[in-house]
Amino acid sequence: MTADPFGGLLAGARAEGWSTVLLDLAGVTGKPALMDRFARALDLPDWFGRNWDALADSLGDLPTGEQGLLLVVTGWQAYADACPEEWAVAREILDSATGPGLCAVLALGGSH
């Protein structure tokens, strides 16, 4: 769990039974750093493969709260601009993983 820079959004989600993760991508300039941020934010095991398939598999296996997991992604705009093809793959993986157990949202307006 993390501090709530969103005026109660994360706290409100937790009060409703959601687990929450804040994934800050500020300063990420390539796929290795992106994978490291995912691994740290989601507390993925050391053996996490740091590739697209491993990320997709890991997102499907995350522990969730009673309602699910709310993943809030911030600071993603610079990475999306610098690495548009990689960002498209990451977005596709997030879109595919989103379902009853996972809700991923992209925060607009900067890092926090």
Side-chain angles (χ1 to χ4, degrees), residues 16-80:
E16 293 297 320
W18 290 80
S19 295
T20 62
V21 172
L22 181 62
L23 172 61
D24 186 0
L25 299 182
V28 170
T29 58
K31 183 179 171 186
L34 177 73
M35 293 295 167
D36 286 345
R37 294 284 177 94
F38 268 103
R40 275 185 276 150
L42 297 172
D43 197 26
L44 299 178
D46 291 339
W47 48 262
F48 168 62
R50 287 177 166 68
N51 60 58
W52 299 123
D53 289 335
L55 180 60
D57 290 345
S58 295
L59 289 174
D61 293 335
L62 291 174
T64 63
E66 181 181 311
Q67 298 298 323
L69 172 67
L70 173 62
L71 174 63
V72 179
V73 184
T74 64
W76 55 270
Q77 295 90 338
Y79 176 71

